Amino acid sequence: MNTNIYNQKNFFFLTILSILFTVLFFNDQVAVRGGLVISGEVIYQDNLSPLKYYFFNSWTLLTQFSALLFKIGLDTQSISFCLIFLLNLILFFSCFIIFEKFIKNTTLSIFLSCLLIFFQKNLGDTDYPSLIFTIHTFGAFAQALTGLIVASLLLNNLKLSFLLGFILFCIHPIVGLWVMLILVFFAFFQKKIKNLNHFFKILLPGLLLVMMSFSIFYYLSLEKLPYDQNLFNIYIDKWDGHRAITDEVHYEYLFKSLILLTIIFYLCPKNNENKLFLSVLGSIIISSIIIYLLFKIFHLNNYRILAPIIPGRFMITYTFIAWPVALSLIYHRFRKKKYIDYFFFSLIILYSSMHYKTFINVKDRIVSKDNNLVFLKLKSLENTGNVITSADLSFNVLYISKKPILMSKSLDYLPYHPYLVNKIRDIMTEVYGYDFENPPINNYPYFSDEFIKSKFEKRPSSDWIEIKNKFKSNFVLTPSSWKLDLKLIYSDKKYNLYSII
């Protein structure tokens, strides 16, 4: 094992790079939304909004971590920064460990890590997008943590690998359970675990973390509501987006996965140090392909219990780690060639110059500033109730104004929380004007501003008063081009804030 992996200078340098990349790729994180609510920063005075149930009844460590940071005084942007920093740290260390293990050139390992992370290299998309820097915290961390678990096996530190596995389980239970089962099987099969006592000592830190996290979730969770099963069936059949992509097979991703498998099994040194790494990574790839094909061939999403599962989610767990694994093993295979280092450094320079637009896009994102005046005005108001917004503005009200919202743009959490279907149906039909049984676009579980605009503008003030009384909503926030039959109390170049009186 290369001791450079543990070098304090490398640890410090990778930390600095993680901070830099956090600044470059900063965005507001989804996990902060739940943290705002369960920490009490955003208070729902009633149980009318389905989002209150969704936030309190969704178990994930990242939301709890966000809530803890709110409790110690951090704001929304600082917490998003912390989450993206942790994500970058995981990405950098997973890359560096793999490169340093097989390349044994620290400078090249760091440069290659920067290249892959900056350009967000992956194998492509399946049913689920392969996004590295995204607002969707949970998927990004599931992908990154799986990569770090695989990389940590090269350190022969089972306690670290299992702890990371438990963290993954607390963030994304389905993916975490799948990875943990593979890890446990090969740890026993290859006799990396001496006995049950040894196994318990390895598991103990992770088990304590899971117990603590689940206990907090259980204590804060709300009682589930009775619901109409027929309504839920309508949602699954006509709104749910998971089943709409069941038949599509992403052959290009499957082909790339098979190439990756070939590289791993033909180029990776077959020694005892790499045995667990090879077995776990190979099994993750093979089992994810099998799960994917089983869902596609036998239409398993048609079974209600399996409907929420996105089979492509398993395959993208290795979409990022594939590149450091493939490049490091190719380097290892040709390491005795005289000009191999020059070739790889030239590759970095050439690839960077060919994709110069990425640098421009990052610069534009950093210098652009949003106008938050209307959200700050809303923040200063008292007794706002459950704020009604257009589809694209809902979570800015949470982030910036720290006010409860009645509904969000997305409905794709409903398969995991079917008891909310009655509430969601009522809000969709009475507030946003949708026909629940006849969606404008089949299997598209999102609100559309184009659809909502005409419904809001045609509604008389008397109907808005009825909505106010039923849903305890005192304000409506829309784009500035929308003209409602309500009192306009504030506007700027982008938004209008209306009062229902």
Side-chain angles (χ1 to χ4, degrees):
M1 181 172 55
N2 194 338
T3 56
N4 279 340
I5 293 172
Y6 291 108
N7 189 296
Q8 290 184 354
K9 288 184 179 180
N10 292 337
F11 184 90
F12 176 77
F13 193 59
L14 292 177
T15 302
I16 296 300
L17 283 172
S18 297
I19 294 173
L20 172 62
F21 275 54
T22 301
V23 174
L24 296 179
F25 296 101
F26 177 83
N27 49 43
D28 293 315
Q29 292 294 291
V30 166
V32 176
R33 302 170 184 174
L36 279 163
V37 176
I38 67 173
S39 68
E41 285 288 310
V42 173
I43 299 176
Y44 280 89
Q45 300 287 356
D46 49 62
N47 294 330
L48 294 172
S49 172
L51 292 177
K52 179 178 181 180
Y53 289 86
Y54 167 61
F55 289 131
F56 278 104
N57 291 349
S58 297
W59 176 40
T60 170
L61 185 64
L62 290 177
T63 296
Q64 295 172 344
F65 178 66
S66 298
L68 175 63
L69 295 182
F70 276 118
K71 287 293 187 181
I72 64 176
L74 272 62
D75 60 20
T76 52
Q77 288 209 320
S78 298
I79 296 172
S80 286
F81 190 94
C82 290
L83 291 171
I84 302 169
F85 167 71
L86 288 175
L87 178 67
N88 271 296
L89 206 61
I90 293 169
L91 293 172
F92 267 108
F93 271 93
S94 59
C95 279
F96 181 75
I97 289 171
I98 293 170
F99 282 132
E100 191 67 13
K101 170 70 177 183
F102 296 109
I103 291 179
K104 295 180 171 59
N105 180 327
T106 301
T107 303
L108 181 57
S109 297
I110 291 175
F111 269 103
L112 285 170
S113 298
C114 288
L115 174 78
L116 296 180
I117 297 171
F118 185 84
F119 291 106
Q120 303 179 58
K121 292 296 296 177
N122 58 64
L123 293 184
D125 298 333
T126 59
D127 300 340
Y128 200 72
S130 295
L131 301 173
I132 295 171
F133 295 116
T134 168
I135 66 170
H136 301 291
T137 323
F138 312 111
F141 267 84
Q143 181 178 288
L145 274 169
T146 303
L148 187 57
I149 291 168
V150 170
S152 69
L153 296 175
L154 294 171
L155 303 178
N156 290 312
N157 187 334
L158 271 184
K159 185 174 288 189
L160 173 62
S161 301
F162 275 101
L163 177 59
L164 292 170
F166 277 114
I167 294 173
L168 175 59
F169 177 71
C170 290
I171 291 173
H172 206 303
I174 294 176
V175 174
L177 180 62
W178 167 63
V179 172
M180 283 290 286
L181 288 174
I182 293 173
L183 187 57
V184 169
F185 175 80
F186 283 105
F188 273 104
F189 184 75
Q190 296 180 10
K191 299 181 180 179
K192 301 291 184 180
I193 297 172
K194 300 174 184 177
N195 49 52
L196 288 177
N197 186 48
H198 179 219
F199 185 50
F200 180 75
K201 288 181 179 179
I202 290 174
L203 294 185
L204 184 59
L207 284 173
L208 291 175
L209 175 67
V210 171
M211 291 170 61
M212 180 178 68
S213 176
F214 189 80
S215 296
I216 294 171
F217 158 74
Y218 185 79
Y219 175 76
L220 294 174
S221 61
L222 304 175
E223 184 178 355
K224 295 180 181 179
L225 305 169
Y227 68 96
D228 186 339
Q229 182 64 47
N230 290 329
L231 280 180
F232 183 67
N233 293 341
I234 291 172
Y235 173 84
I236 291 294
D237 291 336
K238 297 189 176 184
W239 288 91
D240 183 48
H242 296 166
R243 298 176 67 195
I245 52 179
T246 301
D247 294 332
E248 184 180 357
V249 178
H250 294 76
Y251 292 104
E252 181 182 349
Y253 197 97
L254 289 172
F255 179 70
K256 291 176 181 178
S257 298
L258 294 177
I259 292 176
L260 176 62
L261 270 175
T262 303
I263 291 173
I264 291 170
F265 287 115
Y266 277 93
L267 299 185
C268 187
K270 307 298 190 298
N271 54 46
N272 192 54
E273 283 189 355
N274 301 332
K275 193 175 181 182
L276 189 57
F277 164 81
L278 272 169
S279 301
V280 172
L281 178 56
S283 295
I284 285 174
I285 297 171
I286 294 170
S287 63
S288 68
I289 292 174
I290 292 172
I291 292 170
Y292 183 78
L293 292 177
L294 285 175
F295 268 80
K296 300 297 181 180
I297 295 170
F298 297 105
H299 306 287
L300 297 183
N301 277 109
N302 290 327
Y303 296 93
R304 293 287 187 257
I305 193 172
L306 299 175
I309 297 176
I310 305 175
R313 192 190 302 273
F314 297 98
M315 286 207 299
I316 66 165
T317 54
Y318 57 85
T319 187
F320 174 76
I321 204 68
W323 281 96
V325 169
L327 289 175
S328 62
L329 291 177
I330 291 171
Y331 181 100
H332 183 81
R333 171 65 176 81
F334 298 101
R335 67 189 185 282
K336 294 182 180 179
K337 301 296 182 181
K338 186 175 182 181
Y339 297 108
I340 186 65
D341 285 352
Y342 296 108
F343 172 78
F344 268 77
F345 276 115
S346 300
L347 182 66
I348 293 171
I349 296 170
L350 178 63
Y351 189 90
S352 300
S353 62
M354 290 173 61
H355 295 77
Y356 68 93
K357 290 184 179 179
T358 303
F359 294 96
I360 298 174
N361 292 337
V362 170
K363 175 187 72 68
D364 291 343
R365 182 167 56 246
I366 293 173
V367 299
S368 64
K369 299 292 182 182
D370 290 329
N371 186 346
N372 295 328
L373 294 177
V374 74
F375 297 103
L376 296 176
K377 174 64 176 178
L378 182 60
K379 185 177 182 179
S380 68
L381 298 176
E382 300 291 336
N383 191 29
T384 59
N386 300 310
V387 179
I388 298 171
T389 74
S390 63
D392 294 329
L393 298 181
S394 56
F395 283 118
N396 279 340
V397 174
L398 277 177
Y399 283 128
I400 304 170
S401 306
K402 293 188 177 181
K403 299 296 183 181
I405 55 176
L406 181 64
M407 197 71 169
S408 65
K409 176 179 181 177
S410 172
L411 306 172
D412 60 2
Y413 58 87
L414 188 53
Y416 307 99
H417 301 270
Y419 57 91
L420 295 176
V421 68
N422 291 61
K423 282 182 174 290
I424 288 176
R425 188 276 311 269
D426 291 346
I427 295 171
M428 287 178 66
T429 55
E430 297 180 42
V431 179
Y432 289 94
Y434 283 90
D435 181 348
F436 190 76
E437 296 185 6
N438 296 287
I441 303 175
N442 283 334
N443 302 113
Y444 183 76
Y446 305 99
F447 286 175
S448 165
D449 276 351
E450 183 178 355
F451 178 90
I452 295 169
K453 182 176 186 292
S454 62
K455 303 295 182 181
F456 277 25
E457 290 185 326
K458 292 177 181 178
R459 181 174 292 145
S461 59
S462 58
D463 288 354
W464 281 112
I465 295 295
E466 292 181 10
I467 289 172
K468 172 184 178 178
N469 294 333
K470 181 169 182 177
F471 296 102
K472 300 294 187 285
S473 300
N474 299 326
F475 293 92
V476 182
L477 182 64
T478 72
S480 59
S481 61
W482 295 22
K483 306 303 177 185
L484 276 56
D485 185 20
L486 290 171
K487 180 181 179 181
L488 179 65
I489 63 170
Y490 192 83
S491 65
D492 57 26
K493 291 181 179 179
K494 292 185 177 181
Y495 312 115
N496 288 337
L497 179 61
Y498 294 94
S499 175
I500 307 176
I501 55 174

